[in-house]
Amino acid sequence: GENVEQHPSTLSVQEGDSAVIKCTYSDSASNYFPWYKQELGKGPQLIIDIRSNVGEKKDQRIAVTLNKTAKHFSLHITETQPEDSAVYFCAAPDTGRRALTFGSGTRLQVQP
Amino acid sequence: DAGVTQSPTHLIKTRGQHVTLRCSPISGHKSVSWYQQVLGQGPQFIFQYYEKEERGRGNFPDRFSARQFPNYSSELNVNALLLGDSALYLCASSFNDARDNSPLHFGNGTRLTVT
């Protein structure tokens, strides 16, 4: 099955700074990489995803990059705001089980 | 439009009891998946259903079972509850089968506490 590693586990930045979260995956056949944001008491919310036919995707202050050769992908948040504070999860497909395998999460805290 | 809805939001059960959790997918979505999230960890896959058939199963004991109804809603059943079953149970829906990498949209979960 797929193995996804995520780091850092915690990240504290000042408001307005950028934040980067990195993930690696093990299955070279994986071709879809979503990122989720989970706020306290809520379920994970899909914030951006990327498929293996592109190397980068942007949506306003959020971007994701993918390096299939190295089997890693990253989430970039620019101009961070206090409302960006949450736990972020990366994921990759476990094609054998028709499921997503999630990373262990990154707790992002944006200091005002 | 309503997102994925789950009921109940919280539940307290005693060891040995059974529990049924319910999920209604986003309108038009035909696939439902169930995940277990233990505090401080990422969600772990339990089941995936598409068009009322089980299409995927994670590494969970037979005490866990699920089904999908003709209206695409779903139930997760857990028998003989153990303390270790205490977790947030998440339901997610997608338009297509999981093998198509259709984006998963999660509900807010059911918080199960086993005492």
Side-chain angles (χ1 to χ4, degrees):
Chain A
E2 178 70 275
N3 183 44
V4 177
E5 295 188 358
Q6 180 173 350
H7 59 93
S9 57
T10 60
L11 180 60
S12 182
V13 300
Q14 290 295 123
E15 183 176 358
D17 286 350
S18 295
V20 180
I21 303 170
K22 299 182 179 182
C23 289
T24 61
Y25 60 97
S26 60
D27 186 354
S28 56
S30 289
N31 57 4
Y32 172 68
F33 306 93
W35 285 89
Y36 287 85
K37 173 184 180 183
Q38 188 172 25
E39 297 175 285
L40 195 62
K42 295 187 177 181
Q45 175 192 3
L46 179 66
I47 56 173
I48 194 167
D49 56 15
I50 190 169
R51 297 182 187 271
S52 58
N53 57 342
V54 297
E56 183 177 4
K57 182 177 178 181
K58 290 183 179 180
D59 183 4
Q60 299 182 339
R61 297 186 295 109
I62 294 174
V64 56
T65 58
L66 171 64
N67 183 328
K68 282 192 63 70
T69 302
K71 291 190 285 187
H72 67 71
F73 55 113
S74 301
L75 177 71
H76 304 253
I77 306 174
T78 59
E79 301 174 16
T80 53
Q81 301 169 2
E83 51 264 40
D84 294 329
S85 296
V87 179
Y88 290 81
F89 292 97
C90 62
D94 182 340
T95 53
R97 293 180 178 172
R98 298 186 177 189
L100 288 177
T101 297
F102 284 81
S104 54
T106 296
R107 182 171 299 278
L108 172 65
Q109 187 168 7
V110 179
Q111 306 284 355
Chain B
D1 287 341
V4 176
T5 57
Q6 294 186 242
S7 63
T9 56
H10 296 81
L11 202 51
I12 300 175
K13 290 287 189 177
T14 303
R15 278 177 297 174
Q17 289 187 317
H18 71 272
V19 67
T20 297
L21 310 181
R22 295 178 174 83
C23 171
S24 292
I26 292 171
S27 178
H29 284 194
K30 300 178 181 179
S31 174
V32 168
S33 299
W34 288 94
Y35 286 76
Q36 181 196 65
Q37 187 177 26
V38 174
L39 197 62
Q41 298 182 17
Q44 298 288 320
F45 173 68
I46 309 176
F47 287 110
Q48 190 241 339
Y49 278 77
Y50 179 70
E51 289 285 13
K52 301 176 287 293
E53 292 186 0
E54 182 183 304
R55 299 298 182 98
R57 173 183 286 253
N59 289 330
F60 281 81
D62 292 343
R63 300 184 295 108
F64 288 76
S65 65
R67 55 180 176 168
Q68 186 177 33
F69 299 100
N71 65 353
Y72 301 108
S73 67
S74 178
E75 284 182 354
L76 175 69
N77 294 282
V78 187
N79 293 324
L81 285 167
L82 303 174
L83 294 179
D85 295 331
S86 295
L88 180 67
Y89 287 85
L90 295 163
C91 175
S93 75
S94 61
F95 183 75
N96 286 324
D97 190 2
R99 68 179 180 182
D100 299 325
N101 291 325
S102 189
L104 279 184
H105 300 274
F106 285 87
N108 286 330
T110 293
R111 171 72 62 188
L112 173 64
T113 303
V114 182
T115 62

PDB file of all heavy atoms in Angstrom, chain A residues 22-37:
ATOM      1  N   LYS A  22       5.624  19.818   3.583  1.00  0.00           N
ATOM      2  CA  LYS A  22       6.146  18.873   2.595  1.00  0.00           C
ATOM      3  C   LYS A  22       5.689  17.448   2.876  1.00  0.00           C
ATOM      4  O   LYS A  22       5.576  17.038   4.038  1.00  0.00           O
ATOM      5  CB  LYS A  22       7.668  18.937   2.578  1.00  0.00           C
ATOM      6  CG  LYS A  22       8.203  20.304   2.195  1.00  0.00           C
ATOM      7  CD  LYS A  22       9.724  20.326   2.140  1.00  0.00           C
ATOM      8  CE  LYS A  22      10.228  21.711   1.741  1.00  0.00           C
ATOM      9  NZ  LYS A  22      11.705  21.748   1.638  1.00  0.00           N
ATOM     10  N   CYS A  23       5.453  16.702   1.808  1.00  0.00           N
ATOM     11  CA  CYS A  23       5.062  15.298   1.918  1.00  0.00           C
ATOM     12  C   CYS A  23       5.803  14.452   0.905  1.00  0.00           C
ATOM     13  O   CYS A  23       6.115  14.923  -0.196  1.00  0.00           O
ATOM     14  CB  CYS A  23       3.556  15.139   1.696  1.00  0.00           C
ATOM     15  SG  CYS A  23       2.553  15.773   3.038  1.00  0.00           S
ATOM     16  N   THR A  24       6.090  13.215   1.285  1.00  0.00           N
ATOM     17  CA  THR A  24       6.648  12.237   0.353  1.00  0.00           C
ATOM     18  C   THR A  24       5.707  11.041   0.292  1.00  0.00           C
ATOM     19  O   THR A  24       4.963  10.764   1.245  1.00  0.00           O
ATOM     20  CB  THR A  24       8.048  11.768   0.795  1.00  0.00           C
ATOM     21  OG1 THR A  24       7.940  11.146   2.094  1.00  0.00           O
ATOM     22  CG2 THR A  24       9.010  12.933   0.874  1.00  0.00           C
ATOM     23  N   TYR A  25       5.731  10.356  -0.846  1.00  0.00           N
ATOM     24  CA  TYR A  25       4.886   9.171  -1.001  1.00  0.00           C
ATOM     25  C   TYR A  25       5.724   8.048  -1.568  1.00  0.00           C
ATOM     26  O   TYR A  25       6.826   8.273  -2.078  1.00  0.00           O
ATOM     27  CB  TYR A  25       3.681   9.480  -1.893  1.00  0.00           C
ATOM     28  CG  TYR A  25       4.012   9.926  -3.301  1.00  0.00           C
ATOM     29  CD1 TYR A  25       4.009   9.018  -4.364  1.00  0.00           C
ATOM     30  CD2 TYR A  25       4.303  11.250  -3.578  1.00  0.00           C
ATOM     31  CE1 TYR A  25       4.291   9.426  -5.650  1.00  0.00           C
ATOM     32  CE2 TYR A  25       4.606  11.671  -4.860  1.00  0.00           C
ATOM     33  CZ  TYR A  25       4.590  10.761  -5.898  1.00  0.00           C
ATOM     34  OH  TYR A  25       4.888  11.168  -7.180  1.00  0.00           O
ATOM     35  N   SER A  26       5.203   6.829  -1.487  1.00  0.00           N
ATOM     36  CA  SER A  26       6.025   5.674  -1.843  1.00  0.00           C
ATOM     37  C   SER A  26       5.641   5.033  -3.172  1.00  0.00           C
ATOM     38  O   SER A  26       6.500   4.457  -3.854  1.00  0.00           O
ATOM     39  CB  SER A  26       5.942   4.619  -0.727  1.00  0.00           C
ATOM     40  OG  SER A  26       4.601   4.184  -0.549  1.00  0.00           O
ATOM     41  N   ASP A  27       4.367   5.115  -3.555  1.00  0.00           N
ATOM     42  CA  ASP A  27       3.894   4.408  -4.745  1.00  0.00           C
ATOM     43  C   ASP A  27       4.066   5.280  -5.991  1.00  0.00           C
ATOM     44  O   ASP A  27       3.367   6.283  -6.155  1.00  0.00           O
ATOM     45  CB  ASP A  27       2.416   4.036  -4.558  1.00  0.00           C
ATOM     46  CG  ASP A  27       1.893   3.168  -5.693  1.00  0.00           C
ATOM     47  OD1 ASP A  27       2.631   2.935  -6.681  1.00  0.00           O
ATOM     48  OD2 ASP A  27       0.747   2.722  -5.606  1.00  0.00           O
ATOM     49  N   SER A  28       4.970   4.889  -6.866  1.00  0.00           N
ATOM     50  CA  SER A  28       5.256   5.693  -8.062  1.00  0.00           C
ATOM     51  C   SER A  28       4.059   5.746  -9.017  1.00  0.00           C
ATOM     52  O   SER A  28       4.027   6.585  -9.914  1.00  0.00           O
ATOM     53  CB  SER A  28       6.476   5.130  -8.793  1.00  0.00           C
ATOM     54  OG  SER A  28       6.270   3.763  -9.117  1.00  0.00           O
ATOM     55  N   ALA A  29       3.061   4.871  -8.811  1.00  0.00           N
ATOM     56  CA  ALA A  29       1.871   4.889  -9.675  1.00  0.00           C
ATOM     57  C   ALA A  29       0.841   5.917  -9.214  1.00  0.00           C
ATOM     58  O   ALA A  29      -0.118   6.187  -9.936  1.00  0.00           O
ATOM     59  CB  ALA A  29       1.234   3.504  -9.693  1.00  0.00           C
ATOM     60  N   SER A  30       1.033   6.502  -8.030  1.00  0.00           N
ATOM     61  CA  SER A  30       0.075   7.488  -7.531  1.00  0.00           C
ATOM     62  C   SER A  30       0.039   8.694  -8.461  1.00  0.00           C
ATOM     63  O   SER A  30       1.084   9.160  -8.928  1.00  0.00           O
ATOM     64  CB  SER A  30       0.459   7.934  -6.115  1.00  0.00           C
ATOM     65  OG  SER A  30       0.234   6.897  -5.191  1.00  0.00           O
ATOM     66  N   ASN A  31      -1.169   9.184  -8.718  1.00  0.00           N
ATOM     67  CA  ASN A  31      -1.297  10.265  -9.699  1.00  0.00           C
ATOM     68  C   ASN A  31      -2.243  11.376  -9.264  1.00  0.00           C
ATOM     69  O   ASN A  31      -2.668  12.209 -10.072  1.00  0.00           O
ATOM     70  CB  ASN A  31      -1.768   9.694 -11.033  1.00  0.00           C
ATOM     71  CG  ASN A  31      -3.079   8.947 -10.908  1.00  0.00           C
ATOM     72  OD1 ASN A  31      -3.679   8.908  -9.845  1.00  0.00           O
ATOM     73  ND2 ASN A  31      -3.514   8.344 -11.993  1.00  0.00           N
ATOM     74  N   TYR A  32      -2.596  11.392  -7.985  1.00  0.00           N
ATOM     75  CA  TYR A  32      -3.536  12.405  -7.501  1.00  0.00           C
ATOM     76  C   TYR A  32      -3.158  12.741  -6.061  1.00  0.00           C
ATOM     77  O   TYR A  32      -3.006  11.835  -5.235  1.00  0.00           O
ATOM     78  CB  TYR A  32      -4.969  11.861  -7.575  1.00  0.00           C
ATOM     79  CG  TYR A  32      -6.001  12.753  -6.920  1.00  0.00           C
ATOM     80  CD1 TYR A  32      -6.323  13.991  -7.470  1.00  0.00           C
ATOM     81  CD2 TYR A  32      -6.659  12.360  -5.763  1.00  0.00           C
ATOM     82  CE1 TYR A  32      -7.261  14.811  -6.873  1.00  0.00           C
ATOM     83  CE2 TYR A  32      -7.596  13.172  -5.158  1.00  0.00           C
ATOM     84  CZ  TYR A  32      -7.904  14.391  -5.711  1.00  0.00           C
ATOM     85  OH  TYR A  32      -8.839  15.200  -5.131  1.00  0.00           O
ATOM     86  N   PHE A  33      -3.023  14.054  -5.753  1.00  0.00           N
ATOM     87  CA  PHE A  33      -2.490  14.455  -4.456  1.00  0.00           C
ATOM     88  C   PHE A  33      -3.309  15.618  -3.908  1.00  0.00           C
ATOM     89  O   PHE A  33      -3.098  16.774  -4.279  1.00  0.00           O
ATOM     90  CB  PHE A  33      -1.010  14.838  -4.593  1.00  0.00           C
ATOM     91  CG  PHE A  33      -0.198  13.752  -5.240  1.00  0.00           C
ATOM     92  CD1 PHE A  33       0.016  13.751  -6.605  1.00  0.00           C
ATOM     93  CD2 PHE A  33       0.318  12.712  -4.479  1.00  0.00           C
ATOM     94  CE1 PHE A  33       0.734  12.739  -7.226  1.00  0.00           C
ATOM     95  CE2 PHE A  33       1.045  11.693  -5.085  1.00  0.00           C
ATOM     96  CZ  PHE A  33       1.243  11.708  -6.457  1.00  0.00           C
ATOM     97  N   PRO A  34      -4.239  15.324  -3.006  1.00  0.00           N
ATOM     98  CA  PRO A  34      -5.050  16.391  -2.412  1.00  0.00           C
ATOM     99  C   PRO A  34      -4.467  16.891  -1.090  1.00  0.00           C
ATOM    100  O   PRO A  34      -3.699  16.181  -0.421  1.00  0.00           O
ATOM    101  CB  PRO A  34      -6.388  15.687  -2.162  1.00  0.00           C
ATOM    102  CG  PRO A  34      -6.012  14.270  -1.879  1.00  0.00           C
ATOM    103  CD  PRO A  34      -4.760  13.997  -2.689  1.00  0.00           C
ATOM    104  N   TRP A  35      -4.840  18.100  -0.735  1.00  0.00           N
ATOM    105  CA  TRP A  35      -4.513  18.684   0.560  1.00  0.00           C
ATOM    106  C   TRP A  35      -5.805  19.060   1.270  1.00  0.00           C
ATOM    107  O   TRP A  35      -6.716  19.598   0.654  1.00  0.00           O
ATOM    108  CB  TRP A  35      -3.649  19.929   0.389  1.00  0.00           C
ATOM    109  CG  TRP A  35      -2.237  19.631   0.026  1.00  0.00           C
ATOM    110  CD1 TRP A  35      -1.721  19.483  -1.234  1.00  0.00           C
ATOM    111  CD2 TRP A  35      -1.134  19.438   0.925  1.00  0.00           C
ATOM    112  NE1 TRP A  35      -0.372  19.210  -1.170  1.00  0.00           N
ATOM    113  CE2 TRP A  35       0.008  19.182   0.154  1.00  0.00           C
ATOM    114  CE3 TRP A  35      -1.004  19.456   2.321  1.00  0.00           C
ATOM    115  CZ2 TRP A  35       1.262  18.949   0.708  1.00  0.00           C
ATOM    116  CZ3 TRP A  35       0.240  19.224   2.879  1.00  0.00           C
ATOM    117  CH2 TRP A  35       1.356  18.972   2.070  1.00  0.00           C
ATOM    118  N   TYR A  36      -5.836  18.771   2.576  1.00  0.00           N
ATOM    119  CA  TYR A  36      -7.014  19.049   3.382  1.00  0.00           C
ATOM    120  C   TYR A  36      -6.652  19.946   4.560  1.00  0.00           C
ATOM    121  O   TYR A  36      -5.565  19.845   5.115  1.00  0.00           O
ATOM    122  CB  TYR A  36      -7.630  17.753   3.918  1.00  0.00           C
ATOM    123  CG  TYR A  36      -8.348  16.939   2.865  1.00  0.00           C
ATOM    124  CD1 TYR A  36      -7.658  16.041   2.062  1.00  0.00           C
ATOM    125  CD2 TYR A  36      -9.718  17.087   2.665  1.00  0.00           C
ATOM    126  CE1 TYR A  36      -8.322  15.301   1.090  1.00  0.00           C
ATOM    127  CE2 TYR A  36     -10.389  16.349   1.697  1.00  0.00           C
ATOM    128  CZ  TYR A  36      -9.678  15.459   0.919  1.00  0.00           C
ATOM    129  OH  TYR A  36     -10.343  14.739  -0.041  1.00  0.00           O
ATOM    130  N   LYS A  37      -7.594  20.785   4.932  1.00  0.00           N
ATOM    131  CA  LYS A  37      -7.467  21.663   6.104  1.00  0.00           C
ATOM    132  C   LYS A  37      -8.530  21.229   7.107  1.00  0.00           C
ATOM    133  O   LYS A  37      -9.700  21.092   6.746  1.00  0.00           O
ATOM    134  CB  LYS A  37      -7.685  23.124   5.702  1.00  0.00           C
ATOM    135  CG  LYS A  37      -7.736  24.114   6.859  1.00  0.00           C
ATOM    136  CD  LYS A  37      -8.057  25.512   6.332  1.00  0.00           C
ATOM    137  CE  LYS A  37      -8.109  26.543   7.446  1.00  0.00           C
ATOM    138  NZ  LYS A  37      -8.495  27.896   6.940  1.00  0.00           N
TER     139      LYS A  37
END
